[in-house]
């Protein structure tokens, strides 16, 4: 109102209150950006995971061919013509947490090589002079040679140099999912808002509420990604920052009717409407402003190819304790592994999370909590060394002079320069000597070849996969401003509004006990 504007200009009580709220909002966003910067992929973590992938890739080629692993690049290239080996999941998407595992799949005529791989890993785990430290080797199911149910995914699990690795056979659906999420991030834009929000929400689900762990009967990573995709699809115009995405995520799912509805990326579907094991498509209305609307799905050939999904057989959508429809298959329930007790735990966590975050967002004074207290367990986990590297302190800047650039990283990796590329999935950027700032964190030849070889299907005949992968992997690499630069810009705007008023409150250090559960996918 005119009166409020006049009071603000004149420094009246109402104007000061509005200014306090604006300053508090800017401070929250700055703290969230710093937290995301600590959680996002680090150059050393990327290099470490790339080395682990190359090691497991050579072992798969070795057991599949029955020959000694080849170190020669030409020999490796010849092996790739026979067997396609790719990463999928959070690692190539660049949305993994420091505790995240590495998902690998290989395409071959059969999966008999899985048992041989398990035996080779067990033999390497017994060696004292092995090239990599291998431990915790096991498989699901235990006997990989026995025929398994069609919906049982055979997986070999192990730890290689501290990184949890899951190796499966012919996981075509994982590559389609990777293409879909990468395409959504491209559509959302805004400096990888989708991926930044995914990292923030994943940290809350894993460290704070502890509802993310499919192997413990909780949410699977793909199920959580579908929930976040639903929020962006329904409310994209309202989302501008990761904290706004988190707030809408908790608000929407805390009030969702989980007992009577199945969630799709277009909202809920009543249980009564699910017939013959198939979840019906939710029609688009005139009032809806969907990100993945009908016109985009019809006009974008690459997205249309992705949404067709892999031709995998399912027994039909089965109503369970938590029902989340796979966006690539309306007969697949992503929440089928969640037990009844865990479903109640997830619903309670969402309600409590929305209540606590509402208190933080509604109290500019910070008396009812801050972002650091809301993410206190995450902060405790991040205080110390990064678990996927072992020698990098990733939260020391919260104990330094209050700067947004982690001094413990800048000495050797200049992380503030690399942070703008952390969510890019392209293989290379400018490599000129005078443009070191644009050096991609995944720049070695092996990883470049691996990413681009994903365009070829293992069987050589899946046109939709080739089209989808070409759409994602040939896009120009995005370039988004550094988080530290964004902080400076936000601080400058605030200083101009304050006209020299006092600013720059010191950051509060959060605390978090170390999580003892296995790493999440």
């Amino acid at each position: 109102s005119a009166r409020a504007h006049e009071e603000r200009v004149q420094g009246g009580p109402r104007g000061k209150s509005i200014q306090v709220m604006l300053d508090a909002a800017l401070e929250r966003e700055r703290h969230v950006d710093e937290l995301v910067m600590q959680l996002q992929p680090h150059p050393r973590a990327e290099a470490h995971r790339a080395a682990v992938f190359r090691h497991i890739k050579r072992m798969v080629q070795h057991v599949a061919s029955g020959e000694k692993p080849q170190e020669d690049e030409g020999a490796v290239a010849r092996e790739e013509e026979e067997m396609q080996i790719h990463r999928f999941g959070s690692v190539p998407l660049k949305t993994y947490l420091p505790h995240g595992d590495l998902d690998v799949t290989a395409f071959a005529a059969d999966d008999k090589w899985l048992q041989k791989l398990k035996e080779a890993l067990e033999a390497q785990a017994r060696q004292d002079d092995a090239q990599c430290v291998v431990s915790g080797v096991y498989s699901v199911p235990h006997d990989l040679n026995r025929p398994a149910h069609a919906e049982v995914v055979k997986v070999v699990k192990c730890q290689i140099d501290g990184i949890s690795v899951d190796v499966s056979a012919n996981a075509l659906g994982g590559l389609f999912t990777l293409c879909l999420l990468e395409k959504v991030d491209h559509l959302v834009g805004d400096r990888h808002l989708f991926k930044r929000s995914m990292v923030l929400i994943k940290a809350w689900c894993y460290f704070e509420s502890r509802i993310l762990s499919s192997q413990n009967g909780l949410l699977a990573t793909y199920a959580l990604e579908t929930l976040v995709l639903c929020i962006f699809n329904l409310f994209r115009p309202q989302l501008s920052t990761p904290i706004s995405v988190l707030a809408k995520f908790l608000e929407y799912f805390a009030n969702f009717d989980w007992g009577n509805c199945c969630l799709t990326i277009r909202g809920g579907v009543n249980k009564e409407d699910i017939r013959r094991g198939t979840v019906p498509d939710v029609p688009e209305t005139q009032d809806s402003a969907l990100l993945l609307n009908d016109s985009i799905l019809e006009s974008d050939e690459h997205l249309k190819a992705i949404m067709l999904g892999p031709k995998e057989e399912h027994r039909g959508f089965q109503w369970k304790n938590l029902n989340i429809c796979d966006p690539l298959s309306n007969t697949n329930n992503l929440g089928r592994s969640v037990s009844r007790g865990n479903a109640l735990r997830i619903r309670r966590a969402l309600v409590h999370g929305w209540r606590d975050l509402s208190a933080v967002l509604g109290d500019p004074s910070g008396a009812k909590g801050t972002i650091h207290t809301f993410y206190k367990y995450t902060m405790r986990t991040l205080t110390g060394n990064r678990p996927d590297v072992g020698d990098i302190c990733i939260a020391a800047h919260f104990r330094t002079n209050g700067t947004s650039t982690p001094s413990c990283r800048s000495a050797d990796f200049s992380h503030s320069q690399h942070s703008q590329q952390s969510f890019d999935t392209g293989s290379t950027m400018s490599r000129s000597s005078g443009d070191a700032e644009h050096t991609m964190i995944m720049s070695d030849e092996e990883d470049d070849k691996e990413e681009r070889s994903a365009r070829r299907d293992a069987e050589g005949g899946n046109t939709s996969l080739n089209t989808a992968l070409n759409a994602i992997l040939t896009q120009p690499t995005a370039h988004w401003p550094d988080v530290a630069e964004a902080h400076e810009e936000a601080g400058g705007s605030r200083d101009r509004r304050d006209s020299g008023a006092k600013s720059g409150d010191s950051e509060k250090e959060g605390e978090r006990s170390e999580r003892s559960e296995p790493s999440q996918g």
Side-chain angles (χ1 to χ4, degrees):
S1 65
R3 181 179 177 184
H5 178 70
E6 183 179 356
E7 287 182 348
R8 182 180 178 186
V9 172
Q10 296 178 356
R14 187 171 182 182
K16 292 181 179 179
S17 176
I18 294 175
Q19 187 63 47
V20 169
M21 294 178 65
L22 289 175
D23 290 345
L26 283 174
E27 191 74 4
R28 281 195 299 268
E29 291 180 9
R30 185 174 68 87
H31 288 167
V32 168
D33 284 343
E34 288 174 344
L35 178 60
V36 172
M37 187 174 68
Q38 301 308 306
L39 290 166
Q40 70 188 20
H42 183 274
R44 282 186 180 176
E46 284 287 288
H48 186 45
R49 280 177 165 81
V52 171
F53 172 68
R54 289 194 294 270
H55 179 76
I56 194 67
K57 184 176 181 178
R58 286 193 295 267
M59 291 197 67
V60 171
Q61 292 169 344
H62 165 54
V63 299
S65 63
E67 300 174 357
K68 185 178 180 179
Q70 301 287 342
E71 296 293 339
D72 179 63
E73 291 186 1
V76 172
R78 289 191 295 272
E79 289 286 351
E80 287 182 348
E81 296 299 327
E82 301 178 3
M83 173 177 281
Q84 296 291 313
I85 306 171
H86 304 294
R87 293 167 293 182
F88 66 98
S90 300
V91 171
L93 191 64
K94 313 293 190 208
T95 59
Y96 59 87
L97 296 180
H99 299 73
D101 59 7
L102 173 64
D103 294 305
V104 178
T105 188
F107 295 89
D110 54 52
D111 58 8
K112 295 179 180 179
W113 56 269
L114 279 173
Q115 181 64 32
K116 297 179 181 178
L117 176 64
K118 178 183 176 182
E119 295 170 357
L121 287 169
E122 289 173 339
Q124 194 171 90
R126 294 189 293 267
Q127 297 178 6
D128 295 332
D129 57 346
Q131 182 181 2
C132 296
V133 179
V134 179
S135 62
V137 182
Y138 70 101
S139 65
V140 178
H142 180 71
D143 187 358
L144 295 170
N145 289 327
R146 296 183 59 183
H149 193 275
E151 293 189 359
V152 174
V153 180
K154 295 182 178 180
V155 183
V156 175
K157 296 175 175 284
C158 66
Q159 286 241 345
I160 300 179
D161 285 348
I163 300 295
S164 297
V165 181
D166 293 354
V167 185
S168 58
N170 304 325
L172 190 60
L175 294 182
F176 269 89
T177 301
L178 173 61
C179 290
L180 171 63
L181 297 177
E182 190 63 48
K183 185 68 175 180
V184 169
D185 180 68
H186 179 72
L187 292 174
V188 171
D190 197 4
R191 300 184 302 121
H192 298 282
L193 177 61
F194 178 76
K195 293 184 180 182
R196 289 187 290 141
S197 304
M198 180 69 70
V199 169
L200 186 67
I201 293 174
K202 188 181 288 186
W204 180 83
C205 292
Y206 185 66
F207 295 117
E208 306 301 325
S209 59
R210 303 192 178 188
I211 60 175
L212 181 64
S213 179
S214 60
Q215 53 195 346
N216 294 319
L218 296 165
L219 279 177
T221 301
Y222 185 24
L224 178 61
E225 291 168 342
T226 302
L227 298 185
V228 178
L229 176 56
C230 171
I231 295 300
F232 273 93
N233 195 35
L234 296 177
F235 307 106
R236 175 63 185 98
Q238 305 175 31
L239 309 175
S240 57
T241 61
I243 191 65
S244 66
V245 179
L246 173 64
K248 182 59 70 174
F249 174 90
L250 293 174
E251 177 189 9
Y252 184 76
F253 293 120
N255 297 283
F256 188 78
D257 187 5
W258 293 103
N260 300 310
C261 293
C262 165
L263 181 80
T264 71
I265 61 172
R266 289 192 171 187
V269 174
N270 290 328
K271 180 179 180 180
E272 293 76 13
D273 296 332
I274 302 176
R275 299 185 178 90
R276 298 180 180 178
T278 301
V279 178
D281 295 329
V282 178
E284 183 179 359
T285 62
Q286 294 181 350
D287 298 333
S288 60
L290 300 177
L291 176 67
L292 300 177
N293 53 57
D294 292 339
S295 60
I296 291 180
L297 294 177
E298 287 297 325
S299 60
D300 193 323
E301 294 295 330
H302 297 149
L303 184 59
K304 185 190 298 185
I306 295 172
M307 294 302 292
L308 289 176
K311 304 303 180 183
E312 296 179 348
E313 295 184 0
H314 297 282
R315 291 184 296 178
F317 192 93
Q318 302 175 37
W319 189 265
K320 296 291 184 179
N321 301 295
L322 199 71
N323 301 280
I324 303 171
C325 182
D326 187 343
L328 299 180
S329 174
N330 55 3
T331 61
N332 184 25
N333 186 355
L334 299 178
R336 63 180 180 271
S337 62
V338 179
S339 63
R340 181 183 178 185
N342 285 339
L344 295 175
R345 171 182 173 180
I346 292 170
R347 293 163 66 174
R348 285 196 301 267
L350 293 169
V351 172
H352 286 293
W354 170 234
R355 182 196 62 190
D356 295 343
L357 184 61
S358 299
V360 171
L361 298 179
D363 180 24
S365 67
K368 296 183 180 179
T370 63
I371 291 298
H372 288 167
T373 57
F374 186 76
Y375 274 96
K376 59 181 180 180
Y377 296 122
T378 305
M379 296 306 304
R380 283 187 185 177
T381 301
L382 295 182
T383 302
N385 294 328
R386 186 171 176 125
D388 55 351
V389 176
D391 61 345
I392 298 181
C393 176
I394 64 175
H397 77 290
F398 285 107
R399 304 190 294 271
T400 58
N401 298 327
T403 60
S404 59
T405 304
S407 58
C408 58
R409 292 175 167 188
S410 57
D412 52 357
F413 272 96
S414 187
H415 182 267
S416 61
Q417 294 180 357
H418 282 287
S419 63
Q420 59 188 343
Q421 295 111 13
S422 293
F423 293 110
D424 290 327
T425 55
S427 299
T428 57
M429 296 180 71
S430 175
R431 296 184 181 177
S432 62
S433 59
D435 198 14
E437 180 177 352
H438 297 92
T439 303
M440 188 54 193
I441 56 182
M442 294 286 292
S443 59
D444 59 82
E445 265 184 34
E446 183 70 23
D447 295 318
D448 183 56
K449 181 170 56 178
E450 151 60 23
E451 294 292 342
R452 297 189 180 280
S453 69
R455 302 175 190 174
R456 305 191 304 269
D457 177 59
E459 304 297 332
N462 195 317
T463 307
S464 60
L465 177 61
N466 292 331
T467 305
L469 287 169
N470 273 293
I472 301 304
L473 299 177
T474 59
Q475 288 177 357
T477 308
H479 179 80
W480 53 281
D482 184 7
V483 175
E485 295 175 3
H487 295 165
E488 294 175 3
E489 183 179 350
S493 301
R494 180 178 61 184
D495 292 341
R496 288 191 293 272
R497 284 198 311 273
D498 291 346
S499 301
K502 185 177 179 181
S503 63
D505 294 335
S506 60
E507 300 175 4
K508 299 179 181 179
E509 180 181 355
E511 296 183 344
R512 168 69 170 106
S513 59
E514 190 70 35
R515 182 182 176 86
S516 59
E517 293 183 6
S519 62
Q520 52 90 27

